[in-house]
Amino acid sequence: MTSTQETLQQVMKLYDAGELRQAEILCRQVLELEPENADAHHFIGVIAYDVQNFRAAEEYIQKAIELNPDNPSCYLNMGNVAHEQGRYEESIQWYERAVVFNYEGNKKAYNNMGVSLTRLGRLDQALENLAKANEMDPAYFEAHNNFGETLKFSGRYDRAFEAYEKAIAIAPEFVPARWNRSMLLLLMGEFDRGWNEYEWRWKRP
């Protein structure tokens, strides 16, 4: 007989493979047997977030937090839910709760907090958090890209360009950094390079 832990490991494999519906089905099977299983609630919440069912995501992840308040990933994901709905102040509060636990996922919390702070126009604070994410993982290309975006908004184009270059050096096919670099080149008047890089727009979602 398959244990709950084995079933949840299978959920993670299905999730990583993009089989969200099958992952959800297994989670619900777990909850039928163990209605108070925090991990199953959390996983369903993450799946709901991925398909942009934010109301369900919030309900399930909140339930997971009630059942297990010591899982920092829940706070990170609640922050993501709030962020995607434009509730940036609230998202920052969730991310701050995540970093308290001092776990390896902190880099994502610092990165995402930086993005929320950028949305609120608190650019210096945003740069501090994004820098922390990059310090924790110098290969974190998403954070380099977001660092570049925040620098661009603050008018520091040269440093922004360097940040995009770092992101692209690590992940040459990372479309957001390519796109952002093209827009920055156009802003800087480097039209030949900018329009050439602008072709990456076709690879955007």
Side-chain angles (χ1 to χ4, degrees):
M1 182 176 178
T2 304
S3 69
T4 298
Q5 192 59 37
E6 289 172 333
T7 300
L8 291 174
Q9 287 175 354
Q10 183 62 26
V11 167
M12 293 180 68
K13 290 179 181 177
L14 288 167
Y15 177 83
D16 289 340
E19 300 288 341
L20 302 186
R21 181 57 181 158
Q22 292 303 312
E24 180 184 352
I25 289 171
L26 287 185
C27 281
R28 294 193 182 281
Q29 290 175 0
V30 170
L31 290 178
E32 286 178 7
L33 298 172
E34 301 178 21
E36 302 293 281
N37 188 291
D39 289 335
H41 281 285
H42 184 208
F43 283 139
I44 292 181
V46 171
I47 292 167
Y49 168 82
D50 281 355
V51 298
Q52 298 189 321
N53 185 350
F54 299 129
R55 180 175 179 180
E58 196 163 350
E59 290 175 358
Y60 278 103
I61 300 173
Q62 183 63 56
K63 181 65 175 178
I65 290 172
E66 292 171 6
L67 294 168
N68 179 18
D70 294 327
N71 184 352
S73 293
C74 290
Y75 300 117
L76 173 66
N77 288 318
M78 278 293 280
N80 293 341
V81 171
H83 178 94
E84 287 300 317
Q85 297 178 87
R87 292 158 26 206
Y88 302 124
E89 291 283 4
E90 180 187 340
S91 73
I92 291 168
Q93 294 174 13
W94 287 113
Y95 295 140
E96 287 175 338
R97 293 178 72 177
V99 300
V100 167
F101 288 85
N102 191 30
Y103 74 118
E104 66 178 16
N106 272 3
K107 67 177 185 180
K108 292 184 179 179
Y110 281 120
N111 173 71
N112 296 2
M113 199 175 343
V115 175
S116 290
L117 287 163
T118 299
R119 296 283 188 275
L120 292 169
R122 291 154 60 181
L123 303 184
D124 288 341
Q125 286 179 276
L127 290 170
E128 288 176 9
N129 282 276
L130 292 165
K132 286 179 182 177
N134 283 323
E135 288 169 9
M136 295 182 73
D137 182 3
Y140 191 7
F141 55 88
E142 292 97 334
H144 285 296
N145 177 58
N146 291 328
F147 193 68
E149 277 293 270
T150 305
L151 286 166
K152 183 182 74 175
F153 292 138
S154 63
R156 287 174 268 185
Y157 291 168
D158 289 342
R159 288 192 62 198
F161 188 81
E162 291 175 2
Y164 296 141
E165 290 281 277
K166 287 181 181 178
I168 293 167
I170 298 165
E173 299 298 313
F174 184 51
V175 175
R178 291 281 191 171
W179 165 258
N180 290 333
R181 186 172 69 172
S182 76
M183 299 303 292
L184 181 59
L185 286 166
L186 293 172
L187 277 173
M188 296 168 70
E190 296 191 30
F191 299 114
D192 288 341
R193 293 180 66 193
W195 287 122
N196 183 59
E197 195 82 348
Y198 191 67
E199 292 302 305
W200 281 84
R201 72 189 185 280
W202 299 112
K203 295 189 178 183
R204 300 179 78 207

